Amino acid sequence: MAAADTEKLNNLRSAVAGLTQISDNEKSGFISLVSRYLSGEAQHVEWSKIQTPTDKIVVPYDSLSAVPEDAAQTKSLLDKLVVLKLNGGLGTTMGCTGPKSVIEVRNGLTFLDLIVIQLESLNKKYGCNVPLLLMNSFNTHEDTQKIVEKYAGSKIDIHTFNQSQYPRLVTDECLPLPSKGVTGKDGWYPPGHGDVFPSLMNSGKLEALLSQGKEYVFVANSDNLGAVVDLKILNHLIQNKNEYCMEVTPKTLADVKGGTLISYDGKVQLLEIAQVPDEHVNEFKSIEKFKIFNTNNLWVNLNAIKRLVQADALKMEIIPNPKEVDGVKVLQLETAAGAAIKFFDNAIGINVPRSRFLPVKASSDLLLVQSDLYTEKDGYVIRNPARTNPANPSIKLGPEFKKVGDFLKRFKSIPSIIELDSLKVSGDVWFGSSVVLKGKVVVAAKSGEKLEIPDGAVLQNKVIYFLSAHPFPLLQKFNPN
């Protein structure tokens, strides 16, 4: 490290020592992250060394052994498992306040409701005890504590813990923003879900789980409705003593920026687009060469987490995230849990069906999961077999639909989309009840004008533009009813 950077780090260390809001573990974790960043650890990979992983490293889901039929054996498998949902995100991108996991997804049930119902039915069916852990951030902690109270009578153990709280770094001075007089939440950030491993350890949860005989944790984003417990995967990992497993799924054109698994220097490794040299970015985005991407459904051995955290061995690639707070340029240094794969022994990927990746990141995703394309049973969101196309429709909704509240107001009822290929909506558009969308549909209202799709309209392979102040006559010719 250059002398100037060493001085920066010493000044930062002094400033961080004076921050009373965070623990010693958080202070040392933060300093370690900044030290690695300043030393300029290589983020790029040598392109010529990249190899396509074999089926031994990225195992096809269809090749997994069947689960034992004996209920007692299944129970013993599940009694080794913990489910951990990453619950640090706010629903701000969808116009909500509070944890994203409390957005209503289907039949009045939230993400969290569905997760709890799934685990309750699993525990009841097999007589096992699979607990639920929620990793919150300081942004979601208080709200989650209140929300969890509603499950007090449920038949599962629910535990919460917080991921680390790090100070934002003033870019020009390399000093923590809180030491510059910024009080309140704006001075801090949660350092990405790569922090799940040290936070499990620092919270005391890891030791408690190990003492209960738990061996594996299934980690997933709380907004991925496809991330449910899979007995075949759990059975495979226990039988083969895999310390880490990343679920990957075939890439489509919508996923070209997603991280992928590669073989590199004899180990399996996650390759993210940020690590790709500029001249190879188009090659990385190709779905011919890099056919799979990371779903962020991860299965990890708890004893291995303990060993690697104690050895301070989890040096995941640093993701610099520049921000601005009240005109001050700041930096957030983050890590991702998927990048830890290369540090675990006997790590693998499993190439899973697309149904295990059903994230709800925007209102367009909400339209998919609230439609007749899916049903819900025992907390599981199940795809309608009447849909013959294996891919979901492509849906693009304008900014008028971005906030959940606005999205819900604009639909009297969610349209039928079983036979829809793509939908693009722009402008002040409102949908009546029992609308059916088929094929490729575009609906666009002229700026400043309102367009109402009437009740019962069937739109198939139509482009509908608002041409007059009275759109109904225009629509009649598209409506066979």
Side-chain angles (χ1 to χ4, degrees):
M1 194 184 293
D5 288 332
T6 303
E7 188 180 347
K8 275 184 192 173
L9 197 61
N10 288 336
N11 293 339
L12 180 67
R13 199 175 270 113
S14 301
V16 167
L19 299 175
T20 56
Q21 301 95 320
I22 54 175
S23 68
D24 287 344
N25 280 331
E26 287 168 314
K27 289 175 184 177
S28 61
F30 174 68
I31 292 295
S32 171
L33 203 56
V34 177
S35 173
R36 288 176 53 215
Y37 176 71
L38 290 175
S39 69
E41 281 187 11
Q43 300 291 304
H44 288 286
V45 294
E46 283 187 49
W47 202 251
S48 58
K49 285 187 176 182
I50 291 175
Q51 293 181 311
T52 302
T54 65
D55 283 358
K56 278 190 174 180
I57 293 172
V58 176
V59 182
Y61 181 83
D62 290 343
S63 73
L64 300 182
S65 301
V67 177
E69 289 184 16
D70 180 51
Q73 281 183 277
T74 304
K75 178 185 182 301
S76 73
L77 276 179
L78 285 166
D79 279 336
K80 295 174 180 175
L81 182 67
V82 184
V83 171
L84 190 159
K85 297 291 181 174
L86 302 170
N87 191 51
L90 294 166
T92 45
T93 53
M94 295 174 75
C96 299
T97 56
K100 188 179 178 185
S101 55
V102 297
I103 293 174
E104 287 188 8
V105 185
R106 182 139 194 136
N107 304 339
L109 299 171
T110 65
F111 289 107
L112 208 46
D113 292 337
L114 292 170
I115 293 161
V116 169
I117 294 166
Q118 284 166 24
L119 289 179
E120 277 186 324
S121 61
L122 194 70
N123 286 342
K124 184 180 178 184
K125 182 176 179 180
Y126 294 104
C128 55
N129 177 25
V130 178
L132 172 63
L133 267 71
L134 299 172
M135 184 172 84
N136 303 318
S137 65
F138 60 87
N139 288 316
T140 61
H141 171 69
E142 284 183 26
D143 285 337
T144 302
Q145 293 301 103
K146 292 172 193 162
I147 292 155
V148 165
E149 287 173 13
K150 83 182 226 190
Y151 306 116
S154 74
K155 298 288 194 293
I156 60 168
D157 295 332
I158 302 177
H159 306 272
T160 64
F161 68 101
N162 276 18
Q163 70 178 112
S164 302
Q165 176 176 329
Y166 285 177
R168 283 175 162 155
L169 200 61
V170 180
T171 309
D172 293 344
E173 303 170 63
C174 198
L175 288 172
L177 191 58
S179 71
K180 305 291 288 181
V182 175
T183 56
K185 289 185 175 180
D186 279 352
W188 306 88
Y189 75 98
H193 47 64
D195 184 58
V196 64
F197 305 117
S199 292
L200 256 179
M201 184 88 162
N202 295 338
S203 66
K205 297 294 180 190
L206 183 62
E207 206 58 59
L209 293 167
L210 287 168
S211 71
Q212 293 165 22
K214 303 299 180 187
E215 292 182 20
Y216 279 87
V217 59
F218 173 42
V219 181
N221 295 340
S222 62
D223 65 5
N224 180 4
L225 296 170
V228 300
V229 171
D230 188 296
L231 284 164
K232 284 177 75 171
I233 294 176
L234 178 61
N235 182 50
H236 183 87
L237 302 181
I238 291 171
Q239 294 300 317
N240 293 277
K241 297 183 170 55
N242 302 112
E243 287 190 348
Y244 187 111
C245 167
M246 174 187 292
E247 291 185 39
V248 293
T249 200
K251 200 189 265 193
T252 70
L253 292 174
D255 318 304
V256 291
K257 292 183 180 177
T260 191
L261 284 182
I262 56 171
S263 289
Y264 191 81
D265 283 344
K267 298 207 80 170
V268 62
Q269 187 168 320
L270 179 67
L271 176 65
E272 298 276 19
I273 194 165
Q275 299 164 267
V276 177
D278 291 344
E279 64 271 23
H280 294 289
V281 166
N282 286 338
E283 192 180 343
F284 174 82
K285 289 181 178 179
S286 156
I287 61 175
E288 277 76 42
K289 178 164 183 177
F290 297 102
K291 294 181 167 67
I292 53 172
F293 76 99
N294 172 23
T295 64
N296 216 41
N297 298 348
L298 311 170
W299 303 72
V300 195
N301 181 279
L302 293 169
N303 275 304
I305 294 172
K306 180 179 178 179
R307 180 188 80 238
L308 291 167
V309 171
Q310 284 181 333
D312 194 23
L314 295 173
K315 308 285 191 189
M316 283 92 86
E317 285 79 12
I318 296 168
I319 306 161
N321 188 357
K323 301 266 184 183
E324 202 166 292
V325 178
D326 297 331
V328 179
K329 285 185 167 55
V330 296
L331 197 58
Q332 298 180 180
L333 301 178
E334 303 170 12
T335 60
I341 190 168
K342 63 183 177 184
F343 300 107
F344 288 83
D345 293 338
N346 204 13
I348 60 167
I350 293 182
N351 194 349
V352 299
R354 184 77 186 200
S355 57
R356 293 190 56 76
F357 184 66
L358 186 60
V360 178
K361 301 291 184 191
S363 56
S364 53
D365 300 322
L366 210 50
L367 175 55
L368 282 174
V369 298
Q370 290 189 350
S371 74
D372 56 355
L373 201 56
Y374 289 92
T375 53
E376 180 269 320
K377 186 182 179 189
D378 296 334
Y380 296 90
V381 176
I382 303 156
R383 202 164 187 267
N384 189 337
R387 169 82 173 179
T388 53
N389 185 340
N392 277 345
S394 162
I395 296 178
K396 292 182 180 175
L397 302 176
E400 295 81 4
F401 292 80
K402 184 177 180 182
K403 294 182 177 178
V404 174
D406 294 336
F407 165 84
L408 294 172
K409 279 190 290 192
R410 289 176 177 273
F411 291 97
K412 272 196 198 172
S413 67
I414 300 296
S416 169
I417 61 170
I418 289 284
E419 296 179 54
L420 181 69
D421 295 323
S422 64
L423 171 67
K424 188 172 183 180
V425 182
S426 56
D428 187 12
V429 178
W430 298 72
F431 287 81
S433 61
S434 304
V435 172
V436 178
L437 304 174
K438 300 181 179 186
K440 296 179 179 178
V441 179
V442 177
V443 185
K446 195 167 73 173
S447 179
E449 302 283 6
K450 182 178 183 179
L451 172 52
E452 295 181 347
I453 307 295
D455 297 350
V458 178
L459 307 180
Q460 182 168 6
N461 293 322
K462 293 298 178 190
V463 177
I464 299 172
Y465 288 103
F466 190 100
L467 298 178
S468 71
H470 304 285
F472 192 78
L474 174 75
L475 283 174
Q476 273 190 323
K477 61 184 175 187
F478 300 124
N479 183 1
N481 301 329

